[in-house]
Amino acid sequence: MQSDLFILQKIPSLTTLSHFPLSSQFSRKKTSCGCGGGGGRARAMQRTESGGGERRSGVRSKLTEASFLASLMPKKEIGADRFLEAYPEYDGRGVVIAIFDSGVDPAAAGLHVTSDGKPKVLDVLDCTGSGDIDTSTVVKADGDGRIRGASGALLAVNPSWKNPSGEWHVGSKLVYEFFTNSLISRLKKERKKKWDEKNQAAIAEAVKNLDAFDQKHTKVEDVKLKRIREDLQNRVDFLRKQADGYDDKGPIIDAVVWYDGELWRVALDTQSLEDEPGHGKLEDFVPLTNFRNERKFGVFSKLDACTFVANVYEEGNIVSIVTDSSPHGTHVAGIATAFHPQEPLLNGVAPGAQIISCKIGDSRLGSMETGTGLSRALIAAVEHKCDLINMSYGEPTLLPDYGRFVDLVNEVVNKHHLIFVSSAGNSGPALSTVGAPGGTSSSIIGVGAYVSPEMAAGAHCVVDPPEEGLEYTWSSRGPTADGDLGVCVSAPGGAVAPVPTWTLQRRMLMNGTSMASPSACGGIALILSAMKAEGIDISPYDVRKALENTSIPIGTLPEDKLTSGQGLMQVDKALEYLRQSRDIPSVQYEVKVSRSGKSSPTFRGIYLREACACQQPSEWTVQVEPKFHEGASNLDQLVPFEEHIEFHCSDTAIIKAPEYLLLTHNGRSFNIVVDPTSLAEGLHYHELYGIDCKAPARGPLFRIPLTITKPMVVKGHPPLVSFPGMQFSPGHIERRFIEVPQGANWVEATMRASGFDTSRRFFVDTLQLSPLKRPGKWESVVTFSSPSAKVFSFQVEGGQTIELAVAQFWSSGRGSQQTTVVDFEINFHGIDINNEELILDGSDASVRIVASSLLSSEKLVPLAILNKLRVPYRPSDSKLQTLLGNRDRLPSGKQILALTLIYKFKLEDAADVKPHIPLLNNRVYDTKFESQFYMISDSNKRILAKGDVYPKSTKLPKGELTLQLYLRHDNLQLLEKMKSLVVFIERTLDDKDAVRLSFFSEPDGNVTGNAGFKSSVLAPGLKEGFYISPPNKDKLPKNCPEGSILVGEISYGKSSSEKQSGEKNPKKNPAFYRISYVVPPNKSGAEKEKYSSAVSNISVSQRLEEEVRDAKIKVLTSLRQSIEEERAEWGKLSASLKGEYLKHTPLLAKILDALVTRNNVEDKVQHYEQIIDAANEVVDSIDTEELAKYVADKSDPEDDEAEKTKKKMDSTRDQLTEALYHKGLALAELESVKPETRTDKVNGEESGEPVVKDDLFEENFKELRKWADVKSSKYGTLSVIRERRSGRVGTALKVLNDVIQDDGDPPKKKLYDLKLSLIEEVGWNHVASIERQWMYVRFPKSLPLF
């Protein structure tokens, strides 16, 4: 996901918790960042400590201009201001930070140089490949110094450019593919305005010509004049339709790459972007090279103001044009390191630090991260010897501290000593909402988002800011599913920081854990700057321990740690801690917890969430193992290591543990007992931690978190729970934990708010945990403008604890003295089913369902629908390759491999389609596979859909389609196993094709049609059975092959508060489940053709002759005609066969077809004349009078002989029409290459005088019109040419558009080439420019790179 950002407009990827960046929208929109006073879905918790660590007196001083500016880029909260005042030269100098994000704009304000004058940005990389251009095509310049670009444009090369080899690598791309959606939207709006002006001028001219004609010809009766007027009208209509259907795909840019003898150079031709003629020419471009070499960048045009960087890979065969995929990355980099010499209060936390930008947000996916981007980013961070990594991306996970990316991170941290900082997520306020990787990985410092009073007053412009700082409402909370704390520390989660130049502003307010992470990262950069200057060895283990043991607690309750981690980090105190412990070995204490007597699973803490776990004491085995960095000396570090650990516990009545432990390098295990029986209902947090007896000032060396959520038990009938009179002030959170009654499937809840004046905004979350599943989370943002009630319904899982978290948004209700009173009522409902997920196996038997209500009377109203079809495919081809270059070589030295799997499938009709890959889908971090990416293309190689682990449905046209699935890993054996990977092509069925299943009270009801089952009332404790019928085979959707699966949903009850809900769609009911049907073998079908017992009138010898003749024709059609010798052989054989089988139409038709499809023809005149002659031979071989009689006879054949005759005559007519069609095309082409052959000379354009000589084209056209619809998609091209020959270009365009629209096959390039030439002929350059863009889209020369 994207970053944890909370931006005013909810940028979906601002901290990726779900495939996007992590700003405050984290969980709601899979992001982790946020912006504005609360735009996204962010949550916060109250605090009792101020940002600077001092207790607040309850009186907040008024902001001054200086304190206002300081609040926009908060530093006081983490002690960075005090640190920099004390150590001005430890401002990040000597520290390099890798920014894993959506990309950084090197032209943005504050990102040019460091505080000591060094370049701020050392490298800018697109790790996703979304900006890659294939430049493997090599061309040479002509005598005039021009080359042919990949777009087809002729480009002048600057003669001053050094190119010893004379080889130019060329490629091209639509420029919009580099831009964000918001930038594209702005450009489209501005470009359309200019295009409209040109189109209106063209329309005005066309209308003027039409009016002039009407004034000249007041009465039009002559046929030719009517056609002329019709043409003028068609021109007007065409232009108007162009305005209605305007769709700007963006200009095409050409990229040219060459080697100047020292470096690879890149130049772009961007003339199509520029408004002024002559601007953007290739020869005027200042060449770039890989950014790290010269640190130069370009701007596409003044209109877009978008900065880009170029990097060349694979010896010039790939050029990466790097742009950002959202403002998020630049904003993050600015918080960490921006330097504004004229505005020091707006500096980032570490203005002396340098950065490399590693773009992990793929522009093709709306800035979602990919496995490719993540692994390449880690490779780059190690290659550049970075000290820190900041990643403000993430998403929920089903397995914490697990997966391919986590394995690579562990290596980078443990072996290369990089410190990895990441956002915790924006999915709060519920517990267990921290996202991967920041909140769930042991090697990563996960950061929560804090807001201080000054930030609230200044950056957020809150009317009456809080007296004390607090965690943002939306900041994700721990613990993780395996009991780890989740959040490590907290830092300011909002700032006004630099944004890319294309946004047309210098800086912007965003808030989210996406902003907290770089704030913490910048603070750590200050510490590292000091450590380097003072010669203190840097270890990620030591830095993390220093941060945790010197942070200021936020809140006074133990459970507040689940919100803010160990507290608000303090830079100066952390440095002092590291100074004092500089001689102590760098060790990470790995803690593994398991239930006594069970070796697996292991946990990183203890999390007692379910009611059964709180009813009795439990014993746990704890293994503590010191981990040294890779390469530590056995004799000097491992052998001498020995620590005397004293255990401390927050409550010895709850946790019983040993008092001391002797810990050596090999680790120790011990048992503890947890007794939650005396605890009251609700949330309880405790810690068992170890202190070094010899150096207690070091603080806890390791912690074992214990989280207990003791749920209340619902005892009444009906199962109703009420929480009356809850009191809320801004930022306050109320949590309730309830054991969902067994048999409950859904909840109907009512929330009543009263006692307030101004409007109130609440976040309402519920969350349940189940093994090996992502947290089951329901959420809603509710605003009360006046006292009223809101009603909700949502699905639950019986027998599992559910948390209800209700929070008044941290800034809502500020300025009001009134407390909000909330009454919350929960009513559990449920229909228990013997088999929740149904699979119908394809047989005709109904499936029995037994339903019961364990809680109260419920109305049983079963409803089932199958509305998606999944067809399985195996690859038709595969390609395994070793990727070249350093960007795909892991820090371990292993080279990454890529496997491309090809799947062919066909759609009979346009449909919403997506690939479904059960093994790989829906997991970015919690998977051992590195990455995946897919593209779906048509026969023209046009990309129609693309995606990664989260495939989306896309409307695809009918026809033959190709799916390419791209998989990466360094493990060859793993990829070999994937070569037969099954992919399902999932098609969403239209409502009319969806299959609605029936229910019966008898097992044979689906056959007899009796005993239908509609509804019933279930009494508590009693069971009732009924049957679900498989779909009627006649009702199955068409194109539903054997072995495919119809999937859908089934529900059994509906919400009592919504009378009409879910009457047709089970998903609209609060509880629904999956149902699937395996399509059985097709009917043994199809009747075999009847065997005719009639005695054939053809003799054996005749039959033998026909077989021999057909065999010779087959040989003729199989001959190649690539070179002159092959064509000569073909000519001899065709002449021989024509002589042997005089006027045999099928033979002549094959000869004509061979001529038509011949390529690389040098003498075009001769070629077209040959086609005309061959077509005449086909026509002359047919008895047209006999054929006309047959066509006139509309009666159906009555016997086999008549059926045979019908097939033969239909074939003959097709051969005749094809011959006439190709003859017409050849005549037209012959006229174009040999104008003197034109035979339609007329005296006067509007005179209406007859043709002075025979018009062969017209005669042929009229003949074709006798036998076929000349405006059909098959023959319409000839009608277009006819209109064009007559000068009626407007009518030609109308006919051509009709032909294109009627053509059901994939677009034909020749039709669009013809359309473009007609538009250019009439002089509508503005329309032609749009059409050229679409030609590039519809008919790419090759498939794009992955």
Side-chain angles (χ1 to χ4, degrees), residues 208-274:
K208 176 183 175 183
N209 294 336
L210 180 60
D211 289 344
F213 179 91
D214 287 341
Q215 291 176 9
K216 183 176 181 181
H217 305 279
T218 55
K219 196 172 184 181
V220 179
E221 295 180 350
D222 179 77
V223 173
K224 191 160 190 178
L225 289 178
K226 286 182 178 179
R227 288 178 178 172
I228 292 173
R229 191 191 186 284
E230 180 186 17
D231 176 68
L232 294 172
Q233 182 64 57
N234 285 332
R235 296 185 185 213
V236 175
D237 295 342
F238 179 86
L239 289 169
R240 286 174 175 165
K241 288 181 179 179
Q242 289 297 301
D244 295 337
Y246 176 88
D247 187 2
D248 180 13
K249 285 295 180 180
I252 305 161
I253 63 165
D254 275 291
V256 178
V257 178
W258 71 97
Y259 189 66
D260 69 359
E262 296 179 357
L263 297 169
W264 285 97
R265 296 287 178 182
V266 179
L268 302 183
D269 182 272
T270 59
Q271 292 184 72
S272 55
L273 267 170
E274 299 286 352

Side-chain angles (χ1 to χ4, degrees), residues 1197-1258:
E1198 297 179 355
D1199 53 34
D1200 292 344
E1201 195 63 33
E1203 180 68 29
K1204 185 177 179 181
T1205 302
K1206 180 181 184 300
K1207 289 182 179 179
K1208 180 181 178 181
M1209 297 303 284
D1210 286 343
S1211 176
T1212 300
R1213 182 171 64 175
D1214 290 343
Q1215 290 162 351
L1216 174 62
T1217 53
E1218 283 293 308
L1220 292 170
Y1221 173 66
H1222 288 297
K1223 178 183 176 181
L1225 293 179
L1227 286 167
E1229 293 290 350
L1230 191 60
E1231 290 176 353
S1232 66
V1233 297
K1234 192 178 179 182
E1236 62 268 22
T1237 63
R1238 185 168 179 127
T1239 57
D1240 63 338
K1241 184 179 178 182
V1242 177
N1243 293 327
E1245 183 180 358
E1246 301 178 7
S1247 66
E1249 295 182 9
V1251 175
V1252 299
K1253 57 187 288 189
D1254 293 338
D1255 187 342
L1256 299 180
F1257 177 90
E1258 188 66 21

Side-chain angles (χ1 to χ4, degrees), residues 51-68:
E54 301 173 359
R55 296 288 298 181
R56 306 215 38 110
S57 63
V59 179
R60 185 183 63 81
S61 59
K62 188 176 180 180
L63 285 177
T64 62
E65 181 181 2
S67 61
F68 164 69

Side-chain angles (χ1 to χ4, degrees), residues 1098-1329:
I1098 302 176
S1099 66
V1100 174
S1101 61
Q1102 277 184 293
R1103 290 176 59 188
L1104 182 59
E1105 285 182 18
E1106 290 182 359
E1107 294 286 347
V1108 171
R1109 179 198 64 200
D1110 293 343
K1112 291 180 179 179
I1113 295 174
K1114 188 174 181 181
V1115 170
L1116 177 68
T1117 57
S1118 68
L1119 294 180
R1120 299 179 60 186
Q1121 300 185 64
S1122 301
I1123 58 177
E1124 188 60 37
E1125 291 79 3
E1126 292 174 344
R1127 288 194 284 269
E1129 288 296 326
W1130 178 88
K1132 289 179 183 179
L1133 181 56
S1134 62
S1136 173
L1137 292 178
K1138 282 197 293 183
E1140 186 175 357
Y1141 304 108
L1142 296 175
K1143 292 194 174 183
H1144 181 58
T1145 305
L1147 168 62
L1148 299 173
K1150 292 292 185 184
I1151 293 173
L1152 173 61
D1153 184 60
L1155 289 169
V1156 168
T1157 56
R1158 182 178 289 178
N1159 296 319
N1160 302 322
V1161 176
E1162 294 182 0
D1163 190 342
K1164 294 185 179 298
V1165 172
Q1166 183 187 31
H1167 176 62
Y1168 295 133
E1169 288 175 344
Q1170 287 177 337
I1171 291 176
I1172 293 168
D1173 292 340
N1176 287 334
E1177 289 180 339
V1178 173
V1179 175
D1180 293 342
S1181 71
I1182 297 172
D1183 186 343
T1184 54
E1185 291 185 3
E1186 181 185 357
L1187 182 60
K1189 291 178 183 178
Y1190 160 75
V1191 173
D1193 184 4
K1194 303 296 183 181
S1195 61
D1196 294 329
E1198 297 179 355
D1199 53 34
D1200 292 344
E1201 195 63 33
E1203 180 68 29
K1204 185 177 179 181
T1205 302
K1206 180 181 184 300
K1207 289 182 179 179
K1208 180 181 178 181
M1209 297 303 284
D1210 286 343
S1211 176
T1212 300
R1213 182 171 64 175
D1214 290 343
Q1215 290 162 351
L1216 174 62
T1217 53
E1218 283 293 308
L1220 292 170
Y1221 173 66
H1222 288 297
K1223 178 183 176 181
L1225 293 179
L1227 286 167
E1229 293 290 350
L1230 191 60
E1231 290 176 353
S1232 66
V1233 297
K1234 192 178 179 182
E1236 62 268 22
T1237 63
R1238 185 168 179 127
T1239 57
D1240 63 338
K1241 184 179 178 182
V1242 177
N1243 293 327
E1245 183 180 358
E1246 301 178 7
S1247 66
E1249 295 182 9
V1251 175
V1252 299
K1253 57 187 288 189
D1254 293 338
D1255 187 342
L1256 299 180
F1257 177 90
E1258 188 66 21
E1259 289 177 1
N1260 183 79
F1261 183 84
K1262 290 177 180 178
E1263 184 65 20
L1264 175 61
R1265 192 163 53 189
K1266 295 178 183 178
W1267 304 101
D1269 179 4
V1270 293
K1271 291 188 178 181
S1272 68
S1273 60
K1274 190 172 186 179
Y1275 304 115
T1277 303
L1278 219 53
S1279 295
V1280 176
I1281 293 172
R1282 181 181 183 235
E1283 296 297 334
R1284 186 180 199 173
R1285 291 174 80 249
S1286 301
R1288 298 189 290 268
V1289 180
T1291 303
L1293 280 168
K1294 180 183 183 303
V1295 174
L1296 182 55
N1297 273 346
D1298 292 341
V1299 170
I1300 291 173
Q1301 189 172 357
D1302 293 340
D1303 188 10
D1305 294 327
K1308 293 184 176 65
K1309 187 172 185 297
K1310 63 180 182 181
L1311 296 179
Y1312 287 91
D1313 282 334
L1314 180 57
K1315 181 178 180 180
L1316 179 58
S1317 68
L1318 289 170
I1319 294 170
E1320 290 175 335
E1321 181 177 329
V1322 81
W1324 294 329
N1325 294 330
H1326 67 292
V1327 180
S1329 66

